[in-house]
């Protein structure tokens, strides 16, 4: 999650400590209301002023001489420093002593060279990294590219009034940068708008790539060793597997999920989940289980392929997400080029499976009730059919009996046009002969 990244956890820490502090007097910023992510103020050039002189001012760390404090927080501090050769201004991030574990320091020492080799126009360059012993034990530090005048991705899009297609094109460049880090074997773990800056020239830059892994900030989050209110804001961007509190069970698809959240927020100006004012365990449950809001319910114009792309990146099951940031970028580019995207809407069968997983007991009870209802209807139908058949057979038997009775009565009645003289002396033999004669006729 990194020093700049953990500012979401520690409100006094800036997400973009790199920014020029001269913007602190900007009148348009003074009216902004504070939010959970109070580090956004520093993105507008409002670094927190330390209560007393910082003992690091004037010291040299590595090849960098510290000039002033840009931001401070629970995880450490960010300084403006000057590199002697080549001479340039850098953002020097120092982790506070005691924050990092021994395993994290060993991992940091192993990954330093890889972090320094991350060279991509969309990633803030880490010039150098190392360990510093300031009398409190070895602590990691990073000398990073100083991005003066940059703004948070979402703020930049709003300020420039970018339309949906322009935002997608900008975001595709972010995906390309994330994929470069993944190819080097580094997972960011804390991708969010505050860690994606856009320079004054309109170029997006991901900051703190790999810093989270080197500082054990995943564990700091999952063990809740941070400010609770600010943690809720960070959890918006955590993948379901990150919420399962196992930092080792993380791969590039966790970053893909975070990119999906960033894309959702970039397009709608709102997060996909409402976890504000929720307890930590409930917020984690929502991220793990609840379906994200559909972008089209916020902005109807996002219905269709854009919504499908967003929701695929936000799949709970990582096997159903885009498997890499480049796959996400390619689908965005297909949309921009008016070509068919590869993502498909979830099938009804899959949606039912998700419903079963989230609400197993109610679903099982509902299934049982439906089965009983179907069986009851089927049994009733059989009974009704049997009764109808019995009624039909009874009616047939009655009709047949009536016909027999009518035939017998007709045989006993004297024929109206007969040569036989009916009287008291006529025998039944004569009647039967006459009836037989009439039947033969």
């Amino acid at each position: 999650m990194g020093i700049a990244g953990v500012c979401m956890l520690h409100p006094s820490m800036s997400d973009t400590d790199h920014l020029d502090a001269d913007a602190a007097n900007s009148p348009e910023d003074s009216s902004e209301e504070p939010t959970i992510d109070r580090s956004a103020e520093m993105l507008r050039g409002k670094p927190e002023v330390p209560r007393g002189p910082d003992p690091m001012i004037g010291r040299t760390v590595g090849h960098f001489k510290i000039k002033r404090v840009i931001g401070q927080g629970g995880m450490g501090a960010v300084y403006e420093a000057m590199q002697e050769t080549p001479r340039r201004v850098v953002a020097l991030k120092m982790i506070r002593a005691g924050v990092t574990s021994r395993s994290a320091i060993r991992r940091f020492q192993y990954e330093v060279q890889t972090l320094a080799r991350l060279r991509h126009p969309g990633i803030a360059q880490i010039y150098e990294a190392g360990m510093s012993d300031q009398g409190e034990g070895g602590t990691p530090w990073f000398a990073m590219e100083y991005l003066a005048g940059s703004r948070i991705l979402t703020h930049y899009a709003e300020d420039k009034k970018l339309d949906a297609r322009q935002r997608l094109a900008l975001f595709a460049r972010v995906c390309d940068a994330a994929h470069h880090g993944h190819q080097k074997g580094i997972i960011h773990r804390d991708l969010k708008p505050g860690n994606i800056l856009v320079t004054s020239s309109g170029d997006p830059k991901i900051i703190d790539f790999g810093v989270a892994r080197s500082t054990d900030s995943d564990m700091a989050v999952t063990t809740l060793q941070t400010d609770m209110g600010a943690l809720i804001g960070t959890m918006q961007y955590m993948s379901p597997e990150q919420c399962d509190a196992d930092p080792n069970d993380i791969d590039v698809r966790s970053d893909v999920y975070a990119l999906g959240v960033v894309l959702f927020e970039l397009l709608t100006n709102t997060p996909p989940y409402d976890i504000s004012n929720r307890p930590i365990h409930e917020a984690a449950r929502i991220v793990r289980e609840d379906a994200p809001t559909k972008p089209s319910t916020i902005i109807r114009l996002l219905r269709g392929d854009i919504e499908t792309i967003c929701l695929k990146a936000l799949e709970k099951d990582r096997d159903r997400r885009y498997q890499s940031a480049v796959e996400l970028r390619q689908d965005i580019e297909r949309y921009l080029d008016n070509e068919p995207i590869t993502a498909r809407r979830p099938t009804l069968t899959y949606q039912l499976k998700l419903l079963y997983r989230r609400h197993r007991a109610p679903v099982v009870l509902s299934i049982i009730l439906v089965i009983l209802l179907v069986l009851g209807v089927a049994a009733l139908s059989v009974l009704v059919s049997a009764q109808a058949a019995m009624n039909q057979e009874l009616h047939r038997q009655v009709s047949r009996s009536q016909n027999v009775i009518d035939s017998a009565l007709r045989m006993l009645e004297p024929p109206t046009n007969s040569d036989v003289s009916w009287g008291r002396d006529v025998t039944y033999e004569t009647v039967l002969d006459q009836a037989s004669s009439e039947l033969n006729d």
Side-chain angles (χ1 to χ4, degrees):
M1 188 169 298
I3 300 180
V6 299
C7 64
M8 187 74 83
L9 306 182
H10 300 274
S12 61
M13 192 64 164
S14 171
D15 271 318
T16 56
D17 326 307
H18 317 75
L19 298 188
D20 192 347
D22 294 339
N25 298 322
S26 174
E28 67 178 7
D29 301 327
S30 59
S31 61
E32 289 191 358
E33 293 294 329
T35 62
I36 289 177
D37 186 8
R38 286 160 285 186
S39 59
E41 293 184 1
M42 296 190 65
L43 288 165
R44 298 180 178 274
K46 296 184 179 180
E48 178 179 318
V49 178
R51 296 179 179 178
D54 191 304
M56 294 300 297
I57 301 300
R59 291 191 181 185
T60 298
V61 175
H63 301 97
F64 308 92
K65 186 173 183 178
I66 296 175
K67 296 294 185 181
R68 68 182 180 91
V69 178
I70 297 177
Q72 288 184 334
M75 292 288 285
V78 183
Y79 302 93
E80 177 185 329
M82 178 64 70
Q83 183 177 7
E84 295 300 327
T85 305
R87 191 168 181 80
R88 59 187 171 189
V89 178
V90 302
L92 186 68
K93 304 188 174 188
M94 297 193 67
I95 310 297
R96 180 172 59 84
V99 170
T100 54
S101 65
R102 292 182 180 178
S103 62
I105 291 176
R106 288 195 300 269
R107 187 166 56 244
F108 167 78
Q109 293 171 332
Y110 175 79
E111 292 184 348
V112 160
Q113 296 304 319
T114 302
L115 294 175
R117 286 199 300 269
L118 280 179
R119 297 187 181 276
H120 188 278
I123 298 177
Q125 179 68 45
I126 298 179
Y127 298 129
E128 192 173 336
M131 299 293 296
S132 174
D133 189 350
Q134 303 297 329
E136 298 179 340
T139 57
W141 58 264
F142 299 83
M144 301 182 70
E145 183 178 358
Y146 185 85
L147 302 173
S150 300
R151 297 188 66 78
I152 285 180
L153 175 68
T154 49
H155 292 181
Y156 176 86
E158 284 299 294
D159 292 343
K160 296 296 183 179
K161 295 180 171 53
L162 302 184
D163 61 26
R165 294 184 68 86
Q166 290 171 322
R167 295 180 189 220
L168 286 169
L170 182 64
F171 182 77
R173 297 170 65 186
V174 176
C175 293
D176 189 58
H179 181 64
H180 175 77
H182 295 162
Q183 286 182 312
K184 298 295 184 179
I186 302 178
I187 304 168
H188 192 290
R189 295 169 177 256
D190 190 32
L191 284 169
K192 57 189 176 186
N195 278 340
I196 304 171
L197 309 181
V198 183
T199 66
S200 56
S201 60
D203 298 318
K205 295 269 189 178
I206 298 177
I207 65 173
D208 283 355
F209 222 122
V211 178
R213 178 64 172 170
S214 298
T215 58
D216 261 349
S217 57
D218 298 75
M219 190 63 70
V221 169
T222 54
T223 56
L224 309 183
Q225 298 171 356
T226 184
D227 176 69
M228 291 300 100
L231 175 57
I232 292 295
T234 293
M235 291 187 70
Q236 289 279 6
Y237 307 95
M238 292 173 62
S239 66
E241 53 269 25
Q242 281 178 296
C243 289
D244 284 336
D246 184 1
N248 295 317
D249 188 27
I250 305 297
D251 57 32
V252 298
R253 292 172 295 182
S254 288
D255 278 356
V256 171
Y257 180 91
L259 286 170
V261 179
V262 173
L263 176 59
F264 189 105
E265 190 168 342
L266 179 63
L267 294 171
T268 66
N269 295 316
T270 187
Y273 306 100
D274 180 13
I275 61 174
S276 57
N277 302 319
R278 301 293 185 95
I280 295 298
H281 68 278
E282 176 64 11
R285 186 202 62 77
I286 290 173
V287 172
R288 288 195 307 265
E289 299 178 5
D290 287 5
T293 304
K294 289 186 177 181
S296 61
T297 62
I298 303 170
I299 300 177
R300 293 192 62 184
L301 292 177
L302 299 179
R303 185 188 304 274
D305 285 351
I306 298 180
E307 181 171 85
T308 302
I309 290 172
C310 280
L311 296 181
K312 182 176 178 63
L314 291 171
E315 283 281 3
K316 306 294 184 188
D317 183 352
R318 54 184 144 183
D319 291 332
R320 294 182 59 86
R321 289 178 212 152
Y322 291 103
Q323 297 301 289
S324 66
V326 73
E327 286 187 12
L328 174 56
R329 187 206 73 201
Q330 289 171 345
D331 244 4
I332 290 174
E333 291 175 343
R334 290 187 186 96
Y335 172 81
L336 294 175
D337 293 336
N338 297 313
E339 297 178 358
I341 64 173
T342 60
R344 294 292 180 268
R345 293 180 180 275
T347 63
L348 178 60
T349 301
Y350 179 69
Q351 292 177 348
L352 291 176
K353 287 181 180 179
L354 289 182
L355 179 64
Y356 172 72
R357 291 175 185 173
R358 291 197 298 266
H359 310 287
R360 182 165 300 183
V363 168
V364 170
L365 181 60
S366 298
I367 292 175
I368 292 174
L369 291 176
V370 169
I371 292 174
L372 292 176
L373 180 61
V374 170
L375 291 176
V377 171
L380 182 60
S381 298
V382 171
L383 291 175
V384 170
S385 299
Q387 185 63 41
M390 290 176 61
N391 291 340
Q392 185 177 6
E393 178 63 19
L394 180 60
H395 179 73
R396 191 178 66 82
Q397 293 291 347
V398 169
S399 298
R400 182 177 178 184
S401 299
Q402 187 62 45
N403 290 336
V404 171
I405 293 172
D406 292 343
S407 299
L409 291 175
R410 282 198 301 271
M411 287 189 300
L412 295 176
E413 290 180 356
T416 54
N417 297 317
S418 176
D419 295 335
V420 179
S421 297
W422 295 91
R424 298 175 61 90
D425 298 331
V426 176
T427 64
Y428 282 105
E429 184 179 359
T430 305
V431 173
L432 292 175
D433 289 341
Q434 179 62 28
S436 176
S437 175
E438 290 182 357
L439 289 174
N440 291 332
D441 292 340

